[in-house]
Coordinates of all heavy atoms in Angstrom, one line a residue:
M1 N -1.8 13.3 -7.1 CA -1.7 13.4 -5.6 C -0.2 13.8 -5.3 O 0.7 13.1 -5.8 CB -2.0 12.0 -5.0 CG -1.5 11.8 -3.6 SD -1.6 10.2 -3.0 CE -2.3 9.2 -4.2
S2 N -0.1 14.9 -4.6 CA 1.3 15.3 -4.2 C 1.5 14.7 -2.8 O 0.6 14.4 -2.1 CB 1.4 16.8 -4.1 OG 0.6 17.3 -3.1
P3 N 2.8 14.5 -2.5 CA 3.1 13.9 -1.2 C 2.6 14.7 0.0 O 2.3 14.2 1.0 CB 4.7 13.9 -1.2 CG 5.1 13.9 -2.6 CD 4.0 14.7 -3.3
S4 N 2.4 16.0 -0.2 CA 1.8 16.8 0.9 C 0.3 17.0 0.8 O -0.2 18.0 1.3 CB 2.6 18.1 0.9 OG 2.4 18.8 -0.3
S5 N -0.4 16.2 0.0 CA -1.8 16.4 -0.2 C -2.6 16.2 1.0 O -3.8 16.5 1.0 CB -2.3 15.4 -1.3 OG -2.2 14.1 -0.9
G6 N -2.1 15.5 2.1 CA -2.9 15.3 3.3 C -3.8 14.0 3.1 O -4.5 13.7 4.0
L7 N -3.6 13.3 2.0 CA -4.4 12.1 1.8 C -4.1 11.1 2.9 O -2.9 10.8 3.3 CB -4.0 11.4 0.5 CG -4.6 10.1 0.2 CD1 -6.1 10.2 -0.1 CD2 -3.9 9.4 -1.0
V8 N -5.2 10.5 3.5 CA -5.0 9.4 4.5 C -5.7 8.2 3.8 O -6.9 8.0 3.9 CB -5.7 9.8 5.8 CG1 -5.7 8.7 6.8 CG2 -5.1 11.1 6.3
P9 N -4.9 7.3 3.2 CA -5.4 6.1 2.6 C -5.9 5.1 3.5 O -5.5 5.0 4.7 CB -4.2 5.6 1.8 CG -3.0 6.1 2.5 CD -3.4 7.4 3.1
R10 N -6.9 4.3 3.1 CA -7.5 3.2 3.8 C -7.5 2.0 3.0 O -7.6 2.0 1.8 CB -8.9 3.5 4.2 CG -9.1 4.7 5.1 CD -10.6 4.8 5.5 NE -10.8 6.2 5.8 CZ -11.9 6.6 6.3 NH1 -12.9 5.8 6.5 NH2 -12.0 7.9 6.7
R11 N -7.3 0.8 3.7 CA -7.4 -0.4 3.0 C -8.9 -0.8 2.8 O -9.8 -0.3 3.6 CB -6.8 -1.5 3.8 CG -5.3 -1.4 3.9 CD -4.8 -2.6 4.6 NE -3.4 -2.4 5.1 CZ -2.7 -3.3 5.7 NH1 -3.3 -4.5 6.0 NH2 -1.5 -3.1 6.1
R12 N -9.2 -1.7 1.9 CA -10.6 -2.2 1.7 C -10.9 -2.9 3.0 O -10.1 -3.7 3.6 CB -10.7 -3.2 0.6 CG -10.6 -2.5 -0.8 CD -10.7 -3.6 -1.8 NE -10.6 -3.0 -3.1 CZ -11.3 -3.4 -4.2 NH1 -12.1 -4.4 -4.0 NH2 -11.2 -2.8 -5.3
A13 N -12.2 -2.8 3.4 CA -12.6 -3.5 4.6 C -12.9 -5.0 4.4 O -12.8 -5.8 5.3 CB -13.9 -2.8 5.1
S14 N -13.2 -5.3 3.2 CA -13.5 -6.7 2.9 C -13.2 -7.0 1.4 O -13.0 -6.1 0.6 CB -15.0 -7.1 3.2 OG -15.8 -6.3 2.4
G15 N -13.2 -8.3 1.1 CA -13.1 -8.7 -0.3 C -11.6 -8.7 -0.8 O -11.4 -8.7 -2.0
L16 N -10.7 -8.6 0.1 CA -9.3 -8.6 -0.3 C -8.5 -9.6 0.6 O -8.6 -9.6 1.8 CB -8.7 -7.2 -0.1 CG -7.3 -6.9 -0.5 CD1 -7.3 -6.9 -2.1 CD2 -6.9 -5.5 0.0
V17 N -7.8 -10.4 -0.1 CA -6.9 -11.4 0.6 C -5.5 -11.0 0.4 O -5.0 -10.6 -0.7 CB -7.1 -12.8 0.0 CG1 -6.3 -13.8 0.7 CG2 -8.6 -13.2 0.1
S18 N -4.8 -10.9 1.6 CA -3.4 -10.5 1.6 C -2.5 -11.7 2.1 O -2.9 -12.2 3.1 CB -3.2 -9.3 2.4 OG -1.9 -8.9 2.6
E19 N -1.4 -11.9 1.5 CA -0.5 -13.0 1.9 C 1.0 -12.5 1.7 O 1.3 -12.0 0.6 CB -0.7 -14.3 1.1 CG 0.0 -15.4 1.5 CD -0.4 -16.1 2.8 OE1 -1.7 -16.0 3.1 OE2 0.4 -16.6 3.6
E20 N 1.8 -12.7 2.7 CA 3.2 -12.4 2.6 C 4.0 -13.6 2.1 O 3.8 -14.7 2.6 CB 3.8 -11.9 3.9 CG 3.2 -10.5 4.3 CD 3.8 -10.0 5.5 OE1 5.0 -10.1 5.7 OE2 3.0 -9.4 6.3
L21 N 4.9 -13.4 1.2 CA 5.7 -14.5 0.7 C 7.1 -14.0 0.2 O 7.1 -13.1 -0.7 CB 5.0 -15.1 -0.5 CG 5.6 -16.3 -1.2 CD1 5.7 -17.5 -0.2 CD2 4.9 -16.7 -2.4
D22 N 8.1 -14.4 0.8 CA 9.5 -14.1 0.5 C 9.7 -12.6 0.3 O 10.3 -12.1 -0.7 CB 9.9 -14.8 -0.8 CG 10.0 -16.3 -0.7 OD1 10.3 -16.7 0.4 OD2 9.7 -17.0 -1.7
G23 N 9.3 -11.8 1.3 CA 9.5 -10.3 1.2 C 8.6 -9.5 0.4 O 8.7 -8.3 0.3
E24 N 7.7 -10.2 -0.3 CA 6.7 -9.5 -1.2 C 5.3 -9.8 -0.6 O 5.1 -10.7 0.2 CB 6.8 -10.0 -2.6 CG 8.1 -9.7 -3.3 CD 8.1 -10.2 -4.7 OE1 7.4 -11.1 -5.0 OE2 8.9 -9.7 -5.4
T25 N 4.4 -9.0 -1.0 CA 3.0 -9.2 -0.5 C 2.1 -9.4 -1.7 O 2.2 -8.7 -2.7 CB 2.5 -7.9 0.2 OG1 3.3 -7.7 1.4 CG2 1.1 -8.1 0.7
L26 N 1.3 -10.5 -1.6 CA 0.4 -10.9 -2.7 C -1.0 -10.4 -2.3 O -1.4 -10.6 -1.1 CB 0.4 -12.4 -2.9 CG 1.8 -13.0 -3.2 CD1 1.6 -14.5 -3.3 CD2 2.3 -12.4 -4.5
L27 N -1.7 -9.7 -3.2 CA -3.0 -9.3 -2.9 C -4.0 -9.9 -3.9 O -3.6 -9.9 -5.1 CB -3.1 -7.7 -3.0 CG -2.3 -6.9 -2.1 CD1 -2.4 -5.4 -2.4 CD2 -2.6 -7.2 -0.6
Y28 N -5.1 -10.3 -3.5 CA -6.1 -10.9 -4.3 C -7.4 -10.2 -4.1 O -7.9 -10.2 -3.0 CB -6.3 -12.4 -4.1 CG -7.4 -13.0 -4.9 CD1 -7.2 -13.2 -6.3 CD2 -8.6 -13.4 -4.3 CE1 -8.2 -13.8 -7.1 CE2 -9.6 -14.0 -5.1 CZ -9.4 -14.2 -6.4 OH -10.4 -14.8 -7.2
V29 N -8.0 -9.6 -5.1 CA -9.3 -8.9 -5.0 C -10.4 -9.9 -5.5 O -10.4 -10.2 -6.6 CB -9.3 -7.6 -5.9 CG1 -10.6 -6.9 -5.8 CG2 -8.1 -6.7 -5.6
E30 N -11.2 -10.3 -4.5 CA -12.2 -11.3 -4.8 C -13.2 -10.9 -5.8 O -13.6 -11.7 -6.7 CB -12.9 -11.7 -3.5 CG -11.9 -12.4 -2.5 CD -12.5 -12.6 -1.2 OE1 -13.4 -11.9 -0.7 OE2 -12.1 -13.6 -0.5
A31 N -13.6 -9.7 -5.8 CA -14.7 -9.2 -6.7 C -14.3 -9.3 -8.2 O -15.1 -9.6 -9.1 CB -15.2 -7.8 -6.3
S32 N -13.0 -8.9 -8.4 CA -12.5 -8.8 -9.8 C -11.7 -10.1 -10.2 O -11.3 -10.2 -11.4 CB -11.7 -7.6 -10.0 OG -10.6 -7.6 -9.2
H33 N -11.4 -10.9 -9.2 CA -10.5 -12.1 -9.4 C -9.2 -11.7 -10.0 O -8.6 -12.4 -10.8 CB -11.2 -13.1 -10.4 CG -12.5 -13.6 -9.8 ND1 -12.6 -14.4 -8.7 CD2 -13.8 -13.4 -10.2 CE1 -13.8 -14.7 -8.5 NE2 -14.6 -14.1 -9.4
K34 N -8.7 -10.5 -9.5 CA -7.3 -10.0 -9.9 C -6.4 -10.2 -8.8 O -6.7 -10.0 -7.6 CB -7.4 -8.6 -10.4 CG -8.2 -8.4 -11.6 CD -8.1 -6.9 -12.1 CE -8.8 -6.8 -13.4 NZ -8.8 -5.4 -13.9
A35 N -5.1 -10.6 -9.1 CA -4.1 -10.7 -8.1 C -3.0 -9.7 -8.5 O -2.7 -9.4 -9.6 CB -3.5 -12.1 -8.2
F36 N -2.3 -9.2 -7.4 CA -1.2 -8.3 -7.5 C -0.1 -8.7 -6.6 O -0.3 -9.2 -5.5 CB -1.7 -6.9 -7.1 CG -2.9 -6.4 -7.9 CD1 -4.2 -6.6 -7.4 CD2 -2.7 -5.7 -9.0 CE1 -5.3 -6.2 -8.2 CE2 -3.8 -5.2 -9.8 CZ -5.1 -5.5 -9.3
C37 N 1.1 -8.5 -7.1 CA 2.3 -8.8 -6.3 C 3.0 -7.5 -6.0 O 3.4 -6.8 -6.9 CB 3.2 -9.8 -7.1 SG 4.7 -10.2 -6.2
L38 N 3.1 -7.2 -4.8 CA 3.8 -5.9 -4.4 C 5.2 -6.2 -4.1 O 5.6 -7.1 -3.3 CB 3.1 -5.4 -3.1 CG 1.6 -5.1 -3.2 CD1 1.1 -4.5 -1.8 CD2 1.2 -4.2 -4.3
N39 N 6.1 -5.4 -4.6 CA 7.5 -5.6 -4.3 C 7.8 -5.1 -2.9 O 6.8 -4.6 -2.2 CB 8.4 -4.8 -5.3 CG 8.2 -3.4 -5.4 OD1 7.7 -2.8 -4.4 ND2 8.6 -2.7 -6.5
A40 N 9.0 -5.2 -2.4 CA 9.3 -4.9 -1.0 C 8.9 -3.4 -0.6 O 8.2 -3.3 0.4 CB 10.7 -5.2 -0.7
P41 N 9.3 -2.4 -1.4 CA 8.9 -1.1 -1.0 C 7.3 -0.9 -1.0 O 6.8 -0.3 -0.1 CB 9.5 -0.2 -2.0 CG 10.7 -0.9 -2.5 CD 10.2 -2.4 -2.5
A42 N 6.7 -1.4 -2.0 CA 5.2 -1.3 -2.1 C 4.6 -2.1 -0.9 O 3.5 -1.6 -0.3 CB 4.7 -1.8 -3.4
A43 N 5.1 -3.2 -0.5 CA 4.6 -4.0 0.6 C 4.8 -3.2 1.9 O 3.9 -3.2 2.8 CB 5.4 -5.3 0.7
R44 N 5.9 -2.4 2.0 CA 6.0 -1.6 3.2 C 5.0 -0.5 3.3 O 4.4 -0.2 4.3 CB 7.4 -1.0 3.3 CG 8.5 -2.1 3.6 CD 9.8 -1.5 4.1 NE 10.3 -0.4 3.4 CZ 11.3 -0.4 2.5 NH1 11.7 -1.5 2.0 NH2 11.7 0.8 2.0
V45 N 4.7 0.1 2.1 CA 3.6 1.1 2.1 C 2.3 0.4 2.4 O 1.5 0.9 3.3 CB 3.5 1.7 0.6 CG1 2.2 2.6 0.5 CG2 4.7 2.5 0.3
W46 N 2.0 -0.7 1.9 CA 0.7 -1.5 2.2 C 0.6 -1.7 3.7 O -0.5 -1.5 4.3 CB 0.7 -2.8 1.4 CG -0.5 -3.6 1.7 CD1 -0.5 -4.8 2.4 CD2 -1.8 -3.4 1.3 NE1 -1.7 -5.3 2.5 CE2 -2.6 -4.5 1.9 CE3 -2.5 -2.4 0.6 CZ2 -4.0 -4.6 1.7 CZ3 -3.8 -2.5 0.4 CH2 -4.6 -3.6 0.9
K47 N 1.6 -2.2 4.3 CA 1.6 -2.5 5.7 C 1.4 -1.2 6.6 O 0.9 -1.3 7.7 CB 2.9 -3.1 6.2 CG 3.0 -4.5 5.6 CD 4.4 -5.1 6.0 CE 4.6 -6.4 5.3 NZ 6.0 -6.9 5.5
S48 N 1.8 -0.1 6.0 CA 1.7 1.2 6.8 C 0.3 1.9 6.7 O 0.0 2.8 7.4 CB 2.7 2.2 6.3 OG 4.0 1.6 6.6
I49 N -0.5 1.4 5.7 CA -1.8 2.0 5.5 C -2.7 1.5 6.7 O -3.0 0.4 6.8 CB -2.5 1.6 4.2 CG1 -1.6 2.1 3.0 CG2 -3.9 2.0 4.1 CD1 -2.0 1.5 1.7
D50 N -3.2 2.5 7.4 CA -4.1 2.2 8.6 C -5.3 3.1 8.7 O -6.0 3.0 9.7 CB -3.3 2.2 9.9 CG -2.7 3.5 10.2 OD1 -2.9 4.5 9.5 OD2 -1.9 3.6 11.2
G51 N -5.5 4.0 7.8 CA -6.6 4.9 7.8 C -6.4 6.1 8.7 O -7.3 6.9 8.9
A52 N -5.2 6.2 9.3 CA -4.9 7.3 10.2 C -3.7 8.0 9.7 O -3.5 9.2 10.1 CB -4.7 6.8 11.6
R53 N -2.8 7.4 9.0 CA -1.5 8.0 8.6 C -1.7 8.7 7.2 O -2.3 8.1 6.3 CB -0.4 7.0 8.5 CG -0.1 6.3 9.8 CD 0.9 5.2 9.6 NE 1.0 4.4 10.7 CZ 1.9 3.4 10.8 NH1 2.7 3.1 9.9 NH2 1.9 2.7 11.9
D54 N -1.1 9.8 7.1 CA -1.1 10.5 5.8 C 0.2 10.0 5.0 O 1.0 9.2 5.5 CB -1.1 12.0 5.9 CG 0.1 12.6 6.6 OD1 1.0 11.9 6.9 OD2 0.0 13.8 6.9
V55 N 0.3 10.5 3.8 CA 1.5 10.1 2.9 C 2.8 10.4 3.6 O 3.7 9.5 3.6 CB 1.4 10.9 1.6 CG1 2.6 10.6 0.7 CG2 0.1 10.4 0.8
E56 N 3.0 11.5 4.2 CA 4.3 11.9 4.8 C 4.6 10.9 6.0 O 5.7 10.4 6.1 CB 4.2 13.3 5.4 CG 4.1 14.4 4.3 CD 5.4 14.6 3.5 OE1 6.5 14.3 4.1 OE2 5.3 15.1 2.4
T57 N 3.6 10.6 6.8 CA 3.8 9.7 7.9 C 4.1 8.2 7.4 O 4.9 7.5 8.0 CB 2.5 9.7 8.8 OG1 2.3 11.0 9.2 CG2 2.8 8.9 10.1
I58 N 3.4 7.8 6.4 CA 3.6 6.5 5.8 C 5.0 6.5 5.3 O 5.8 5.5 5.5 CB 2.6 6.2 4.7 CG1 1.2 5.9 5.3 CG2 3.1 5.0 3.8 CD1 0.1 5.8 4.3
A59 N 5.5 7.5 4.6 CA 6.8 7.6 4.1 C 7.9 7.4 5.2 O 8.8 6.6 5.0 CB 7.1 8.9 3.3
R60 N 7.7 8.1 6.3 CA 8.6 8.0 7.4 C 8.6 6.5 8.0 O 9.6 6.0 8.2 CB 8.3 9.0 8.5 CG 8.7 10.4 8.2 CD 8.7 11.3 9.4 NE 7.3 11.4 10.0 CZ 6.4 12.3 9.5 NH1 6.7 13.1 8.5 NH2 5.2 12.3 10.1
S61 N 7.4 6.0 8.2 CA 7.3 4.6 8.8 C 7.9 3.6 7.8 O 8.4 2.5 8.3 CB 5.9 4.3 9.2 OG 5.1 4.1 8.2
A62 N 7.7 3.8 6.5 CA 8.2 2.8 5.5 C 9.6 3.0 5.1 O 10.1 2.3 4.3 CB 7.2 2.8 4.3
E63 N 10.2 4.1 5.6 CA 11.5 4.6 5.2 C 11.7 4.7 3.7 O 12.6 4.2 3.1 CB 12.6 3.6 5.8 CG 12.5 3.5 7.3 CD 13.5 2.5 7.9 OE1 14.1 1.7 7.1 OE2 13.7 2.5 9.1
L64 N 10.7 5.5 3.2 CA 10.7 5.7 1.7 C 10.5 7.2 1.5 O 10.0 7.9 2.4 CB 9.6 5.0 1.0 CG 9.7 3.4 1.1 CD1 8.4 2.8 0.7 CD2 10.8 2.9 0.3
E65 N 10.8 7.7 0.3 CA 10.6 9.1 -0.1 C 9.1 9.3 -0.3 O 8.4 8.4 -0.8 CB 11.3 9.4 -1.4 CG 12.8 9.4 -1.3 CD 13.3 10.5 -0.4 OE1 12.8 11.6 -0.4 OE2 14.3 10.2 0.4
P66 N 8.6 10.4 0.2 CA 7.2 10.7 0.1 C 6.7 10.6 -1.4 O 5.5 10.2 -1.6 CB 7.0 12.1 0.6 CG 8.2 12.3 1.6 CD 9.3 11.5 1.0
A67 N 7.5 11.1 -2.3 CA 7.0 11.0 -3.7 C 6.8 9.6 -4.2 O 5.9 9.2 -4.9 CB 8.1 11.7 -4.6
L68 N 7.7 8.6 -3.7 CA 7.5 7.2 -4.1 C 6.3 6.7 -3.4 O 5.5 5.9 -4.0 CB 8.8 6.4 -3.6 CG 8.7 4.9 -3.9 CD1 8.5 4.6 -5.4 CD2 9.9 4.2 -3.4
V69 N 6.0 7.0 -2.2 CA 4.8 6.6 -1.5 C 3.6 7.1 -2.2 O 2.6 6.3 -2.5 CB 4.8 7.0 0.0 CG1 3.4 6.8 0.6 CG2 5.9 6.4 0.8
A70 N 3.6 8.3 -2.6 CA 2.4 8.9 -3.4 C 2.2 8.2 -4.7 O 1.1 7.8 -5.0 CB 2.6 10.4 -3.6
T71 N 3.3 7.9 -5.4 CA 3.2 7.1 -6.7 C 2.7 5.7 -6.4 O 1.8 5.2 -7.2 CB 4.6 7.1 -7.4 OG1 5.0 8.4 -7.7 CG2 4.5 6.3 -8.7
T72 N 3.2 5.1 -5.4 CA 2.7 3.7 -5.1 C 1.2 3.7 -4.7 O 0.5 2.8 -5.2 CB 3.5 3.2 -3.9 OG1 4.9 3.1 -4.2 CG2 3.1 1.8 -3.5
L73 N 0.8 4.7 -4.0 CA -0.6 4.7 -3.6 C -1.5 5.0 -4.8 O -2.6 4.4 -5.0 CB -0.9 5.8 -2.5 CG -0.3 5.5 -1.2 CD1 -0.4 6.7 -0.3 CD2 -1.0 4.3 -0.5
R74 N -1.0 5.8 -5.7 CA -1.8 6.1 -7.0 C -1.9 4.8 -7.8 O -3.0 4.5 -8.3 CB -1.1 7.1 -7.8 CG -1.6 8.5 -7.8 CD -1.1 9.4 -8.9 NE 0.3 9.4 -9.1 CZ 1.2 10.1 -8.4 NH1 0.8 10.8 -7.5 NH2 2.5 10.0 -8.7
E75 N -0.9 4.0 -7.8 CA -0.9 2.8 -8.6 C -1.8 1.7 -7.9 O -2.3 0.8 -8.6 CB 0.5 2.2 -8.9 CG 1.3 3.1 -9.8 CD 2.7 2.7 -10.1 OE1 3.1 1.6 -9.6 OE2 3.4 3.4 -10.7
M76 N -1.9 1.7 -6.6 CA -2.7 0.8 -5.9 C -4.2 1.1 -6.2 O -5.0 0.3 -6.1 CB -2.4 0.8 -4.4 CG -1.1 0.2 -4.0 SD -1.0 0.2 -2.2 CE 0.6 -0.5 -2.0

């Protein structure tokens, strides 16, 4: 995925628990019983995902480089 791919990411509609703690975001996927800890930049990307914003727009709102946002979304 390139930063200019036009991808508009969406969060899962259900089965995911999100909790903020000390500047990080903890995610728990109920179906797989897996937990993930997002660092501050990844947490900003997570908060910006709304199903309407593309990678470039997320990068601007999260104040991050588009390439970093694209990499973060790939890893998510």
